[in-house]
Amino acid sequence: MPLLSLLEEGHTGVSLFMTLSGYLFAKLLDGKQIIYKNFLRNRAVRLLPLLAVVLLLKATIWVANGTPVQEAAAWIALGSILPRWPNGAWSIAVEWHFYLILPALLFAVGIRRESALMLVFAAIVLRLSLFMAGWEIQPIGYWTIIGHIDQFVAGIYAWHFYRGGRVRPLVVIAVAMAFVTCYHWFNIGGGFYGTQASPVWIYLPAAEAAFYAVMIAPLRRIEIDAA
């Protein structure tokens, strides 16, 4: 069923999470001075303890199954840069990369909203360039910040663009119907596991970013009405 296409494989939930992250950080930090070292420290305190436990348990299992300790340690260390952490922990690495550039993104989009569109366009051009250079674009488009920067920026843009404004319900419905239809055909064409070599991943992150930004933008209006 087309309406259930987003749930068929579930991987698009990561894009929703990234868009919400951009939106919520734009909301929480709006108009506030960011003390960068304190911000990073607070995020580390929230994320690293549980992450360390998970990675330690996973490394213990690897070593118990015959993986050399040095190899397991190197694999985990590289996971902070490359998408190698297991059990969904790779998304935390992408989130951390977002934190590193968050002040610059908030400043750019806050000063000029068009900066968000320029950043998304630059991400598309980068993925297109990598694809034309012979790279397999799906791992880049899904597992790295190069693919998810679109969603972070779209979330920030959604907060600023709809501040105090009204989101037209017909726009939300139209965007939702268009995206669900396209996603349904994406699943028919192979979905996540059948499009490893497809150029669709050049544009899919941006399409997901636009869809989820439009879906979460009304949250701003709901909060104003509730207040």
Side-chain angles (χ1 to χ4, degrees):
M1 296 178 61
L3 290 178
L4 299 179
S5 60
L6 298 179
L7 305 178
E8 184 168 336
E9 294 180 315
H11 56 85
T12 191
V14 176
S15 298
L16 171 60
F17 173 77
M18 303 302 185
T19 309
L20 282 170
S21 292
Y23 180 90
L24 292 175
F25 276 107
K27 171 187 174 181
L28 295 173
L29 299 175
D30 189 21
K32 298 180 181 179
Q33 181 182 4
I34 302 176
I35 303 176
Y36 193 46
K37 63 178 182 179
N38 291 346
F39 170 77
L40 292 180
R41 181 194 63 198
N42 291 339
R43 301 314 303 164
V45 168
R46 287 177 178 269
L47 295 176
L48 292 185
L50 182 56
L51 176 63
V53 171
V54 171
L55 293 181
L56 180 60
L57 289 175
K58 193 67 176 182
T60 301
I61 294 173
W62 289 336
V63 172
N65 289 333
T67 301
V69 175
Q70 297 86 343
E71 182 179 335
W75 198 87
I76 290 177
L78 286 174
S80 61
I81 302 174
L82 303 175
R84 293 188 174 186
W85 286 340
N87 303 101
W90 63 269
S91 62
I92 297 179
V94 176
E95 185 87 358
W96 185 253
H97 298 160
F98 167 60
Y99 296 153
L100 295 178
I101 59 176
L102 176 59
L105 295 179
L106 291 177
F107 176 78
V109 180
I111 293 296
R112 189 174 181 180
R113 294 175 186 171
E114 292 80 4
S115 299
L117 302 179
M118 295 172 62
L119 287 168
V120 172
F121 178 75
I124 294 174
V125 171
L126 176 57
R127 291 192 294 267
L128 176 61
S129 300
L130 292 173
F131 178 77
M132 294 179 66
W135 291 68
E136 189 173 301
I137 202 61
Q138 189 216 39
I140 297 172
Y142 183 72
W143 304 101
T144 74
I145 187 69
I146 297 175
H148 289 293
I149 187 66
D150 308 58
Q151 290 113 44
F152 290 123
V153 171
I156 296 173
Y157 182 79
W159 168 258
H160 288 284
F161 184 80
Y162 291 107
R163 181 185 299 176
R166 182 178 296 277
V167 182
R168 297 180 182 274
L170 290 179
V171 173
V172 175
I173 294 172
V175 171
M177 291 180 63
F179 183 78
V180 168
T181 300
C182 293
Y183 219 83
H184 178 61
W185 285 109
F186 168 75
N187 286 335
I188 291 177
F192 183 85
Y193 297 100
T195 58
Q196 286 89 342
S198 173
V200 69
W201 289 93
I202 298 171
Y203 312 103
L204 183 60
E208 290 177 314
F211 169 65
Y212 288 123
V214 171
M215 293 299 105
I216 67 176
L219 293 176
R220 171 69 178 178
R221 189 66 189 179
I222 292 173
E223 291 165 355
I224 293 175
D225 291 343

